[in-house]
Amino acid sequence: MANDGQRGGRAYLEAIQALRVLIEERYDDGGWLPGGRAMAEDIGVSHPTYCKALKFLEAEGVVRSFPSKGHYVVSSDIRCDKIGLIIENGTESPFIRQDVDLGGALAVLAAGGYDTQILQAPTLEQLYTNAQIYGMKGILWFYPPAKAAGAINDFNSQGSIPQVVVQHRDYQTDFGAHCVSYDSSQCWQVRAGQLLERGHREFAYVGSYEDACQNGLVETVEAVGGRLPAERCVQPTESMRGVVADFVLNQEVTGILSEGSSFTVKCLFEELSQLPEAAQPEVVVTHFDRLPKLAGNYPKVRLVSGCPKLVGSLGREAARMLIGHLTNGEPLTVRKIGFGPRQ
């Protein structure tokens, strides 16, 4: 029985996909579909499976049902063009991740005439199937984990749905995909330069020492006689409790650099706010939209401002690239975002 159910489920999904392909190829200007049995035979499924697939496309607004007349395909110029959004492993809610630049991406996609839909699935492999079922014109995949590389490569090999990957660090997993990321070396050189220009030479970093080496932060600090040893790199969030204070009070650290989410930065600010005002180090963190409000809750923290503006945001740039490809056939590429000149 379980195998019969699985086969029936696959047939239903395949019927939806086949119907979408048929409609794209034959009904650009809309029109009436032939009778249900003829259509079922045309796409190679049973009549009940065809009817079930047709109801799905009715709910999607692709087809309209008229009693006693049949089913009419909506013309392509008024169909909904959708972009699928995948967050991390495909089970993550976008409302939990405050550092996901969805707002910028949504604004660009809406201006380009595209609606959006969050794609979720219990497995990575099923995400592409869902993208086909829901008729996605393209996909933006935000911050996929390393284990998603296989699924992303499968997306690329299929080739029917273009996608752009968004990731924070350009030295992380090579997904072999069109990608938008920060130019990590340039970004951290600029951030470290802010503290170096202010005379700081003893640093701590909220992040791994491996990351600090890969993004050029250690090299930038040591090039001018500063110090950022491995023992002064602490993993974000709860593990920093008491550790950062020790760096400042016992190791004479005067400058701290931190990456990570808004939650990580909040943990850092809470830790620093426990220090005497006279011992407060200066801090540079990765910017996010809620940073000014968060910093206002911790007035003792000496947050360095005035960092030059990033040329763009990851979400916006990824959405622009995808729309340019879908609308004008512009090639999908690998793009790195860095800082522009100082204002």
PDB file of all heavy atoms in Angstrom, residues 204 206 240-256 267-283 298-302:
ATOM      1  N   ALA A 204      40.615  41.375  19.498  1.00  0.00           N
ATOM      2  CA  ALA A 204      39.888  40.124  19.653  1.00  0.00           C
ATOM      3  C   ALA A 204      38.875  40.048  18.518  1.00  0.00           C
ATOM      4  O   ALA A 204      38.490  41.071  17.936  1.00  0.00           O
ATOM      5  CB  ALA A 204      39.200  40.053  21.012  1.00  0.00           C
ATOM      6  N   VAL A 206      35.195  38.025  17.259  1.00  0.00           N
ATOM      7  CA  VAL A 206      34.077  37.115  17.494  1.00  0.00           C
ATOM      8  C   VAL A 206      33.846  36.343  16.196  1.00  0.00           C
ATOM      9  O   VAL A 206      33.210  36.832  15.259  1.00  0.00           O
ATOM     10  CB  VAL A 206      32.812  37.873  17.932  1.00  0.00           C
ATOM     11  CG1 VAL A 206      31.664  36.887  18.176  1.00  0.00           C
ATOM     12  CG2 VAL A 206      33.087  38.669  19.203  1.00  0.00           C
ATOM     13  N   MET A 240      30.812  33.051  24.213  1.00  0.00           N
ATOM     14  CA  MET A 240      31.607  34.249  24.506  1.00  0.00           C
ATOM     15  C   MET A 240      31.386  34.764  25.926  1.00  0.00           C
ATOM     16  O   MET A 240      32.072  35.682  26.368  1.00  0.00           O
ATOM     17  CB  MET A 240      31.287  35.358  23.498  1.00  0.00           C
ATOM     18  CG  MET A 240      29.933  36.011  23.685  1.00  0.00           C
ATOM     19  SD  MET A 240      29.662  37.399  22.545  1.00  0.00           S
ATOM     20  CE  MET A 240      29.512  36.538  21.000  1.00  0.00           C
ATOM     21  N   ARG A 241      30.452  34.179  26.669  1.00  0.00           N
ATOM     22  CA  ARG A 241      30.146  34.655  28.008  1.00  0.00           C
ATOM     23  C   ARG A 241      31.388  34.583  28.891  1.00  0.00           C
ATOM     24  O   ARG A 241      31.958  33.526  29.118  1.00  0.00           O
ATOM     25  CB  ARG A 241      29.028  33.820  28.639  1.00  0.00           C
ATOM     26  CG  ARG A 241      27.727  33.794  27.851  1.00  0.00           C
ATOM     27  CD  ARG A 241      27.007  35.116  27.921  1.00  0.00           C
ATOM     28  NE  ARG A 241      25.726  35.035  27.221  1.00  0.00           N
ATOM     29  CZ  ARG A 241      24.913  36.056  27.051  1.00  0.00           C
ATOM     30  NH1 ARG A 241      25.240  37.248  27.534  1.00  0.00           N
ATOM     31  NH2 ARG A 241      23.770  35.916  26.399  1.00  0.00           N
ATOM     32  N   GLY A 242      31.825  35.712  29.396  1.00  0.00           N
ATOM     33  CA  GLY A 242      32.974  35.789  30.271  1.00  0.00           C
ATOM     34  C   GLY A 242      34.303  35.804  29.549  1.00  0.00           C
ATOM     35  O   GLY A 242      35.295  36.310  30.084  1.00  0.00           O
ATOM     36  N   VAL A 243      34.351  35.283  28.323  1.00  0.00           N
ATOM     37  CA  VAL A 243      35.613  35.188  27.596  1.00  0.00           C
ATOM     38  C   VAL A 243      36.043  36.545  27.071  1.00  0.00           C
ATOM     39  O   VAL A 243      37.203  36.953  27.211  1.00  0.00           O
ATOM     40  CB  VAL A 243      35.488  34.177  26.434  1.00  0.00           C
ATOM     41  CG1 VAL A 243      36.788  34.112  25.641  1.00  0.00           C
ATOM     42  CG2 VAL A 243      35.123  32.810  26.965  1.00  0.00           C
ATOM     43  N   VAL A 244      35.110  37.274  26.453  1.00  0.00           N
ATOM     44  CA  VAL A 244      35.446  38.593  25.915  1.00  0.00           C
ATOM     45  C   VAL A 244      35.872  39.535  27.030  1.00  0.00           C
ATOM     46  O   VAL A 244      36.828  40.308  26.881  1.00  0.00           O
ATOM     47  CB  VAL A 244      34.243  39.174  25.136  1.00  0.00           C
ATOM     48  CG1 VAL A 244      34.543  40.602  24.693  1.00  0.00           C
ATOM     49  CG2 VAL A 244      33.930  38.302  23.932  1.00  0.00           C
ATOM     50  N   ALA A 245      35.194  39.473  28.168  1.00  0.00           N
ATOM     51  CA  ALA A 245      35.574  40.314  29.300  1.00  0.00           C
ATOM     52  C   ALA A 245      37.004  40.017  29.741  1.00  0.00           C
ATOM     53  O   ALA A 245      37.771  40.928  30.086  1.00  0.00           O
ATOM     54  CB  ALA A 245      34.600  40.111  30.450  1.00  0.00           C
ATOM     55  N   ASP A 246      37.387  38.743  29.713  1.00  0.00           N
ATOM     56  CA  ASP A 246      38.760  38.362  30.072  1.00  0.00           C
ATOM     57  C   ASP A 246      39.762  38.944  29.092  1.00  0.00           C
ATOM     58  O   ASP A 246      40.844  39.400  29.478  1.00  0.00           O
ATOM     59  CB  ASP A 246      38.874  36.843  30.113  1.00  0.00           C
ATOM     60  CG  ASP A 246      40.286  36.391  30.428  1.00  0.00           C
ATOM     61  OD1 ASP A 246      40.711  36.563  31.591  1.00  0.00           O
ATOM     62  OD2 ASP A 246      40.971  35.869  29.517  1.00  0.00           O
ATOM     63  N   PHE A 247      39.417  38.926  27.778  1.00  0.00           N
ATOM     64  CA  PHE A 247      40.311  39.527  26.788  1.00  0.00           C
ATOM     65  C   PHE A 247      40.601  40.978  27.137  1.00  0.00           C
ATOM     66  O   PHE A 247      41.737  41.445  27.070  1.00  0.00           O
ATOM     67  CB  PHE A 247      39.673  39.478  25.394  1.00  0.00           C
ATOM     68  CG  PHE A 247      39.536  38.100  24.815  1.00  0.00           C
ATOM     69  CD1 PHE A 247      38.591  37.844  23.828  1.00  0.00           C
ATOM     70  CD2 PHE A 247      40.346  37.051  25.232  1.00  0.00           C
ATOM     71  CE1 PHE A 247      38.452  36.583  23.277  1.00  0.00           C
ATOM     72  CE2 PHE A 247      40.210  35.785  24.694  1.00  0.00           C
ATOM     73  CZ  PHE A 247      39.258  35.550  23.713  1.00  0.00           C
ATOM     74  N   VAL A 248      39.561  41.701  27.507  1.00  0.00           N
ATOM     75  CA  VAL A 248      39.676  43.139  27.743  1.00  0.00           C
ATOM     76  C   VAL A 248      40.408  43.427  29.056  1.00  0.00           C
ATOM     77  O   VAL A 248      41.317  44.269  29.106  1.00  0.00           O
ATOM     78  CB  VAL A 248      38.282  43.795  27.749  1.00  0.00           C
ATOM     79  CG1 VAL A 248      38.386  45.279  28.115  1.00  0.00           C
ATOM     80  CG2 VAL A 248      37.622  43.626  26.383  1.00  0.00           C
ATOM     81  N   LEU A 249      40.024  42.740  30.096  1.00  0.00           N
ATOM     82  CA  LEU A 249      40.546  43.056  31.429  1.00  0.00           C
ATOM     83  C   LEU A 249      41.931  42.479  31.680  1.00  0.00           C
ATOM     84  O   LEU A 249      42.747  43.098  32.381  1.00  0.00           O
ATOM     85  CB  LEU A 249      39.576  42.546  32.492  1.00  0.00           C
ATOM     86  CG  LEU A 249      38.180  43.191  32.482  1.00  0.00           C
ATOM     87  CD1 LEU A 249      37.283  42.538  33.516  1.00  0.00           C
ATOM     88  CD2 LEU A 249      38.272  44.697  32.736  1.00  0.00           C
ATOM     89  N   ASN A 250      42.227  41.312  31.106  1.00  0.00           N
ATOM     90  CA  ASN A 250      43.484  40.628  31.434  1.00  0.00           C
ATOM     91  C   ASN A 250      44.477  40.547  30.282  1.00  0.00           C
ATOM     92  O   ASN A 250      45.645  40.240  30.502  1.00  0.00           O
ATOM     93  CB  ASN A 250      43.185  39.205  31.932  1.00  0.00           C
ATOM     94  CG  ASN A 250      42.313  39.212  33.175  1.00  0.00           C
ATOM     95  OD1 ASN A 250      42.490  40.049  34.059  1.00  0.00           O
ATOM     96  ND2 ASN A 250      41.362  38.282  33.241  1.00  0.00           N
ATOM     97  N   GLN A 251      44.015  40.796  29.061  1.00  0.00           N
ATOM     98  CA  GLN A 251      44.930  40.709  27.926  1.00  0.00           C
ATOM     99  C   GLN A 251      45.075  42.030  27.185  1.00  0.00           C
ATOM    100  O   GLN A 251      45.597  42.074  26.087  1.00  0.00           O
ATOM    101  CB  GLN A 251      44.449  39.609  26.971  1.00  0.00           C
ATOM    102  CG  GLN A 251      44.387  38.239  27.628  1.00  0.00           C
ATOM    103  CD  GLN A 251      44.115  37.141  26.616  1.00  0.00           C
ATOM    104  OE1 GLN A 251      44.614  37.163  25.503  1.00  0.00           O
ATOM    105  NE2 GLN A 251      43.299  36.160  27.013  1.00  0.00           N
ATOM    106  N   GLU A 252      44.555  43.095  27.755  1.00  0.00           N
ATOM    107  CA  GLU A 252      44.729  44.462  27.239  1.00  0.00           C
ATOM    108  C   GLU A 252      44.172  44.644  25.836  1.00  0.00           C
ATOM    109  O   GLU A 252      44.677  45.458  25.049  1.00  0.00           O
ATOM    110  CB  GLU A 252      46.210  44.855  27.272  1.00  0.00           C
ATOM    111  CG  GLU A 252      46.803  44.832  28.679  1.00  0.00           C
ATOM    112  CD  GLU A 252      48.273  45.234  28.697  1.00  0.00           C
ATOM    113  OE1 GLU A 252      48.888  45.245  27.608  1.00  0.00           O
ATOM    114  OE2 GLU A 252      48.778  45.536  29.782  1.00  0.00           O
ATOM    115  N   VAL A 253      43.134  43.908  25.509  1.00  0.00           N
ATOM    116  CA  VAL A 253      42.473  44.090  24.223  1.00  0.00           C
ATOM    117  C   VAL A 253      41.717  45.415  24.226  1.00  0.00           C
ATOM    118  O   VAL A 253      40.951  45.702  25.143  1.00  0.00           O
ATOM    119  CB  VAL A 253      41.510  42.931  23.941  1.00  0.00           C
ATOM    120  CG1 VAL A 253      40.568  43.268  22.786  1.00  0.00           C
ATOM    121  CG2 VAL A 253      42.294  41.665  23.612  1.00  0.00           C
ATOM    122  N   THR A 254      41.936  46.222  23.184  1.00  0.00           N
ATOM    123  CA  THR A 254      41.245  47.515  23.087  1.00  0.00           C
ATOM    124  C   THR A 254      40.349  47.614  21.859  1.00  0.00           C
ATOM    125  O   THR A 254      39.576  48.568  21.739  1.00  0.00           O
ATOM    126  CB  THR A 254      42.262  48.667  23.030  1.00  0.00           C
ATOM    127  OG1 THR A 254      43.071  48.524  21.838  1.00  0.00           O
ATOM    128  CG2 THR A 254      43.139  48.685  24.272  1.00  0.00           C
ATOM    129  N   GLY A 255      40.452  46.644  20.948  1.00  0.00           N
ATOM    130  CA  GLY A 255      39.625  46.664  19.744  1.00  0.00           C
ATOM    131  C   GLY A 255      39.019  45.303  19.487  1.00  0.00           C
ATOM    132  O   GLY A 255      39.713  44.284  19.551  1.00  0.00           O
ATOM    133  N   ILE A 256      37.719  45.255  19.222  1.00  0.00           N
ATOM    134  CA  ILE A 256      37.024  43.996  18.968  1.00  0.00           C
ATOM    135  C   ILE A 256      36.290  44.081  17.635  1.00  0.00           C
ATOM    136  O   ILE A 256      35.607  45.077  17.355  1.00  0.00           O
ATOM    137  CB  ILE A 256      36.021  43.670  20.092  1.00  0.00           C
ATOM    138  CG1 ILE A 256      36.768  43.456  21.421  1.00  0.00           C
ATOM    139  CG2 ILE A 256      35.190  42.435  19.748  1.00  0.00           C
ATOM    140  CD1 ILE A 256      35.859  43.175  22.591  1.00  0.00           C
ATOM    141  N   CYS A 267      24.494  39.434  21.971  1.00  0.00           N
ATOM    142  CA  CYS A 267      25.240  38.739  23.026  1.00  0.00           C
ATOM    143  C   CYS A 267      26.543  39.461  23.340  1.00  0.00           C
ATOM    144  O   CYS A 267      26.938  39.584  24.509  1.00  0.00           O
ATOM    145  CB  CYS A 267      25.522  37.298  22.621  1.00  0.00           C
ATOM    146  SG  CYS A 267      24.070  36.227  22.583  1.00  0.00           S
ATOM    147  N   LEU A 268      27.227  39.939  22.308  1.00  0.00           N
ATOM    148  CA  LEU A 268      28.473  40.678  22.507  1.00  0.00           C
ATOM    149  C   LEU A 268      28.216  41.965  23.279  1.00  0.00           C
ATOM    150  O   LEU A 268      28.937  42.294  24.236  1.00  0.00           O
ATOM    151  CB  LEU A 268      29.117  40.993  21.157  1.00  0.00           C
ATOM    152  CG  LEU A 268      30.362  41.893  21.207  1.00  0.00           C
ATOM    153  CD1 LEU A 268      31.484  41.231  21.994  1.00  0.00           C
ATOM    154  CD2 LEU A 268      30.824  42.242  19.789  1.00  0.00           C
ATOM    155  N   PHE A 269      27.186  42.705  22.888  1.00  0.00           N
ATOM    156  CA  PHE A 269      26.876  43.968  23.570  1.00  0.00           C
ATOM    157  C   PHE A 269      26.509  43.724  25.032  1.00  0.00           C
ATOM    158  O   PHE A 269      26.886  44.505  25.914  1.00  0.00           O
ATOM    159  CB  PHE A 269      25.732  44.680  22.858  1.00  0.00           C
ATOM    160  CG  PHE A 269      26.125  45.341  21.554  1.00  0.00           C
ATOM    161  CD1 PHE A 269      27.416  45.268  21.080  1.00  0.00           C
ATOM    162  CD2 PHE A 269      25.182  46.028  20.794  1.00  0.00           C
ATOM    163  CE1 PHE A 269      27.782  45.862  19.884  1.00  0.00           C
ATOM    164  CE2 PHE A 269      25.538  46.638  19.609  1.00  0.00           C
ATOM    165  CZ  PHE A 269      26.835  46.547  19.139  1.00  0.00           C
ATOM    166  N   GLU A 270      25.771  42.643  25.287  1.00  0.00           N
ATOM    167  CA  GLU A 270      25.428  42.321  26.676  1.00  0.00           C
ATOM    168  C   GLU A 270      26.678  42.021  27.490  1.00  0.00           C
ATOM    169  O   GLU A 270      26.798  42.444  28.643  1.00  0.00           O
ATOM    170  CB  GLU A 270      24.477  41.120  26.705  1.00  0.00           C
ATOM    171  CG  GLU A 270      23.072  41.438  26.217  1.00  0.00           C
ATOM    172  CD  GLU A 270      22.184  40.207  26.181  1.00  0.00           C
ATOM    173  OE1 GLU A 270      22.721  39.086  26.335  1.00  0.00           O
ATOM    174  OE2 GLU A 270      20.964  40.362  25.989  1.00  0.00           O
ATOM    175  N   GLU A 271      27.610  41.307  26.899  1.00  0.00           N
ATOM    176  CA  GLU A 271      28.864  40.985  27.579  1.00  0.00           C
ATOM    177  C   GLU A 271      29.665  42.250  27.874  1.00  0.00           C
ATOM    178  O   GLU A 271      30.149  42.456  28.991  1.00  0.00           O
ATOM    179  CB  GLU A 271      29.672  40.024  26.700  1.00  0.00           C
ATOM    180  CG  GLU A 271      31.070  39.708  27.196  1.00  0.00           C
ATOM    181  CD  GLU A 271      31.061  38.676  28.314  1.00  0.00           C
ATOM    182  OE1 GLU A 271      29.981  38.291  28.785  1.00  0.00           O
ATOM    183  OE2 GLU A 271      32.175  38.269  28.723  1.00  0.00           O
ATOM    184  N   LEU A 272      29.787  43.122  26.880  1.00  0.00           N
ATOM    185  CA  LEU A 272      30.582  44.342  27.064  1.00  0.00           C
ATOM    186  C   LEU A 272      29.925  45.308  28.039  1.00  0.00           C
ATOM    187  O   LEU A 272      30.622  46.059  28.746  1.00  0.00           O
ATOM    188  CB  LEU A 272      30.800  45.027  25.717  1.00  0.00           C
ATOM    189  CG  LEU A 272      31.658  44.257  24.702  1.00  0.00           C
ATOM    190  CD1 LEU A 272      31.723  45.017  23.379  1.00  0.00           C
ATOM    191  CD2 LEU A 272      33.059  44.012  25.247  1.00  0.00           C
ATOM    192  N   SER A 273      28.607  45.308  28.084  1.00  0.00           N
ATOM    193  CA  SER A 273      27.920  46.258  28.962  1.00  0.00           C
ATOM    194  C   SER A 273      28.172  45.975  30.437  1.00  0.00           C
ATOM    195  O   SER A 273      27.925  46.834  31.290  1.00  0.00           O
ATOM    196  CB  SER A 273      26.416  46.243  28.682  1.00  0.00           C
ATOM    197  OG  SER A 273      25.842  45.006  29.057  1.00  0.00           O
ATOM    198  N   GLN A 274      28.690  44.766  30.747  1.00  0.00           N
ATOM    199  CA  GLN A 274      29.012  44.435  32.132  1.00  0.00           C
ATOM    200  C   GLN A 274      30.364  44.994  32.565  1.00  0.00           C
ATOM    201  O   GLN A 274      30.684  45.005  33.755  1.00  0.00           O
ATOM    202  CB  GLN A 274      29.028  42.907  32.304  1.00  0.00           C
ATOM    203  CG  GLN A 274      27.749  42.204  31.862  1.00  0.00           C
ATOM    204  CD  GLN A 274      26.522  42.695  32.588  1.00  0.00           C
ATOM    205  OE1 GLN A 274      26.526  42.824  33.808  1.00  0.00           O
ATOM    206  NE2 GLN A 274      25.468  42.991  31.833  1.00  0.00           N
ATOM    207  N   LEU A 275      31.162  45.469  31.627  1.00  0.00           N
ATOM    208  CA  LEU A 275      32.489  46.003  31.940  1.00  0.00           C
ATOM    209  C   LEU A 275      32.394  47.437  32.432  1.00  0.00           C
ATOM    210  O   LEU A 275      31.472  48.170  32.064  1.00  0.00           O
ATOM    211  CB  LEU A 275      33.383  45.962  30.699  1.00  0.00           C
ATOM    212  CG  LEU A 275      33.721  44.582  30.131  1.00  0.00           C
ATOM    213  CD1 LEU A 275      34.467  44.735  28.810  1.00  0.00           C
ATOM    214  CD2 LEU A 275      34.555  43.784  31.124  1.00  0.00           C
ATOM    215  N   PRO A 276      33.354  47.865  33.252  1.00  0.00           N
ATOM    216  CA  PRO A 276      33.386  49.275  33.655  1.00  0.00           C
ATOM    217  C   PRO A 276      33.520  50.178  32.437  1.00  0.00           C
ATOM    218  O   PRO A 276      34.143  49.807  31.432  1.00  0.00           O
ATOM    219  CB  PRO A 276      34.629  49.360  34.546  1.00  0.00           C
ATOM    220  CG  PRO A 276      34.934  47.957  34.944  1.00  0.00           C
ATOM    221  CD  PRO A 276      34.450  47.079  33.835  1.00  0.00           C
ATOM    222  N   GLU A 277      32.957  51.350  32.506  1.00  0.00           N
ATOM    223  CA  GLU A 277      32.981  52.257  31.355  1.00  0.00           C
ATOM    224  C   GLU A 277      34.398  52.581  30.925  1.00  0.00           C
ATOM    225  O   GLU A 277      34.697  52.698  29.734  1.00  0.00           O
ATOM    226  CB  GLU A 277      32.215  53.531  31.698  1.00  0.00           C
ATOM    227  CG  GLU A 277      31.894  54.374  30.488  1.00  0.00           C
ATOM    228  CD  GLU A 277      30.773  55.350  30.745  1.00  0.00           C
ATOM    229  OE1 GLU A 277      30.051  55.199  31.742  1.00  0.00           O
ATOM    230  OE2 GLU A 277      30.640  56.278  29.929  1.00  0.00           O
ATOM    231  N   ALA A 278      35.308  52.712  31.891  1.00  0.00           N
ATOM    232  CA  ALA A 278      36.692  53.058  31.568  1.00  0.00           C
ATOM    233  C   ALA A 278      37.409  51.942  30.822  1.00  0.00           C
ATOM    234  O   ALA A 278      38.407  52.191  30.137  1.00  0.00           O
ATOM    235  CB  ALA A 278      37.453  53.397  32.844  1.00  0.00           C
ATOM    236  N   ALA A 279      36.914  50.715  30.939  1.00  0.00           N
ATOM    237  CA  ALA A 279      37.568  49.577  30.301  1.00  0.00           C
ATOM    238  C   ALA A 279      36.953  49.207  28.960  1.00  0.00           C
ATOM    239  O   ALA A 279      37.400  48.254  28.324  1.00  0.00           O
ATOM    240  CB  ALA A 279      37.515  48.365  31.231  1.00  0.00           C
ATOM    241  N   GLN A 280      35.938  49.941  28.518  1.00  0.00           N
ATOM    242  CA  GLN A 280      35.229  49.581  27.296  1.00  0.00           C
ATOM    243  C   GLN A 280      36.151  49.633  26.075  1.00  0.00           C
ATOM    244  O   GLN A 280      36.780  50.652  25.806  1.00  0.00           O
ATOM    245  CB  GLN A 280      34.046  50.522  27.070  1.00  0.00           C
ATOM    246  CG  GLN A 280      32.875  50.297  27.999  1.00  0.00           C
ATOM    247  CD  GLN A 280      32.146  48.991  27.706  1.00  0.00           C
ATOM    248  OE1 GLN A 280      32.101  48.519  26.566  1.00  0.00           O
ATOM    249  NE2 GLN A 280      31.579  48.409  28.748  1.00  0.00           N
ATOM    250  N   PRO A 281      36.253  48.526  25.334  1.00  0.00           N
ATOM    251  CA  PRO A 281      37.005  48.565  24.068  1.00  0.00           C
ATOM    252  C   PRO A 281      36.153  49.222  22.989  1.00  0.00           C
ATOM    253  O   PRO A 281      34.953  49.410  23.165  1.00  0.00           O
ATOM    254  CB  PRO A 281      37.225  47.087  23.764  1.00  0.00           C
ATOM    255  CG  PRO A 281      36.008  46.434  24.335  1.00  0.00           C
ATOM    256  CD  PRO A 281      35.650  47.202  25.580  1.00  0.00           C
ATOM    257  N   GLU A 282      36.780  49.550  21.876  1.00  0.00           N
ATOM    258  CA  GLU A 282      36.010  50.010  20.726  1.00  0.00           C
ATOM    259  C   GLU A 282      35.657  48.788  19.868  1.00  0.00           C
ATOM    260  O   GLU A 282      36.432  47.833  19.767  1.00  0.00           O
ATOM    261  CB  GLU A 282      36.787  51.042  19.918  1.00  0.00           C
ATOM    262  CG  GLU A 282      36.912  52.374  20.664  1.00  0.00           C
ATOM    263  CD  GLU A 282      37.307  53.508  19.730  1.00  0.00           C
ATOM    264  OE1 GLU A 282      38.314  53.362  19.005  1.00  0.00           O
ATOM    265  OE2 GLU A 282      36.609  54.540  19.743  1.00  0.00           O
ATOM    266  N   VAL A 283      34.479  48.847  19.252  1.00  0.00           N
ATOM    267  CA  VAL A 283      33.931  47.676  18.587  1.00  0.00           C
ATOM    268  C   VAL A 283      33.500  48.024  17.168  1.00  0.00           C
ATOM    269  O   VAL A 283      32.890  49.073  16.931  1.00  0.00           O
ATOM    270  CB  VAL A 283      32.709  47.130  19.368  1.00  0.00           C
ATOM    271  CG1 VAL A 283      32.181  45.867  18.709  1.00  0.00           C
ATOM    272  CG2 VAL A 283      33.071  46.873  20.820  1.00  0.00           C
ATOM    273  N   TYR A 298      22.351  49.703  24.529  1.00  0.00           N
ATOM    274  CA  TYR A 298      23.596  49.441  25.266  1.00  0.00           C
ATOM    275  C   TYR A 298      24.507  50.663  25.139  1.00  0.00           C
ATOM    276  O   TYR A 298      25.514  50.640  24.429  1.00  0.00           O
ATOM    277  CB  TYR A 298      24.283  48.187  24.723  1.00  0.00           C
ATOM    278  CG  TYR A 298      23.432  46.949  24.835  1.00  0.00           C
ATOM    279  CD1 TYR A 298      22.614  46.541  23.773  1.00  0.00           C
ATOM    280  CD2 TYR A 298      23.406  46.205  26.009  1.00  0.00           C
ATOM    281  CE1 TYR A 298      21.813  45.417  23.882  1.00  0.00           C
ATOM    282  CE2 TYR A 298      22.600  45.077  26.120  1.00  0.00           C
ATOM    283  CZ  TYR A 298      21.807  44.686  25.057  1.00  0.00           C
ATOM    284  OH  TYR A 298      21.005  43.577  25.162  1.00  0.00           O
ATOM    285  N   PRO A 299      24.162  51.743  25.816  1.00  0.00           N
ATOM    286  CA  PRO A 299      24.892  53.010  25.636  1.00  0.00           C
ATOM    287  C   PRO A 299      26.353  52.959  26.073  1.00  0.00           C
ATOM    288  O   PRO A 299      27.156  53.786  25.625  1.00  0.00           O
ATOM    289  CB  PRO A 299      24.088  53.995  26.507  1.00  0.00           C
ATOM    290  CG  PRO A 299      23.353  53.143  27.488  1.00  0.00           C
ATOM    291  CD  PRO A 299      23.044  51.870  26.774  1.00  0.00           C
ATOM    292  N   LYS A 300      26.719  52.020  26.925  1.00  0.00           N
ATOM    293  CA  LYS A 300      28.114  51.932  27.369  1.00  0.00           C
ATOM    294  C   LYS A 300      29.038  51.394  26.275  1.00  0.00           C
ATOM    295  O   LYS A 300      30.237  51.669  26.271  1.00  0.00           O
ATOM    296  CB  LYS A 300      28.216  51.039  28.610  1.00  0.00           C
ATOM    297  CG  LYS A 300      27.685  51.672  29.888  1.00  0.00           C
ATOM    298  CD  LYS A 300      27.716  50.684  31.050  1.00  0.00           C
ATOM    299  CE  LYS A 300      29.130  50.249  31.379  1.00  0.00           C
ATOM    300  NZ  LYS A 300      29.145  49.354  32.574  1.00  0.00           N
ATOM    301  N   VAL A 301      28.472  50.608  25.355  1.00  0.00           N
ATOM    302  CA  VAL A 301      29.284  49.986  24.310  1.00  0.00           C
ATOM    303  C   VAL A 301      29.798  51.059  23.355  1.00  0.00           C
ATOM    304  O   VAL A 301      29.032  51.877  22.843  1.00  0.00           O
ATOM    305  CB  VAL A 301      28.477  48.927  23.548  1.00  0.00           C
ATOM    306  CG1 VAL A 301      29.282  48.375  22.375  1.00  0.00           C
ATOM    307  CG2 VAL A 301      28.076  47.792  24.482  1.00  0.00           C
ATOM    308  N   ARG A 302      31.102  51.032  23.087  1.00  0.00           N
ATOM    309  CA  ARG A 302      31.731  52.045  22.221  1.00  0.00           C
ATOM    310  C   ARG A 302      31.785  51.508  20.779  1.00  0.00           C
ATOM    311  O   ARG A 302      32.800  51.019  20.309  1.00  0.00           O
ATOM    312  CB  ARG A 302      33.122  52.375  22.742  1.00  0.00           C
ATOM    313  CG  ARG A 302      33.120  53.003  24.139  1.00  0.00           C
ATOM    314  CD  ARG A 302      34.533  53.136  24.673  1.00  0.00           C
ATOM    315  NE  ARG A 302      35.334  54.015  23.827  1.00  0.00           N
ATOM    316  CZ  ARG A 302      36.668  54.113  23.919  1.00  0.00           C
ATOM    317  NH1 ARG A 302      37.339  53.351  24.780  1.00  0.00           N
ATOM    318  NH2 ARG A 302      37.326  54.935  23.131  1.00  0.00           N
TER     319      ARG A 302
END
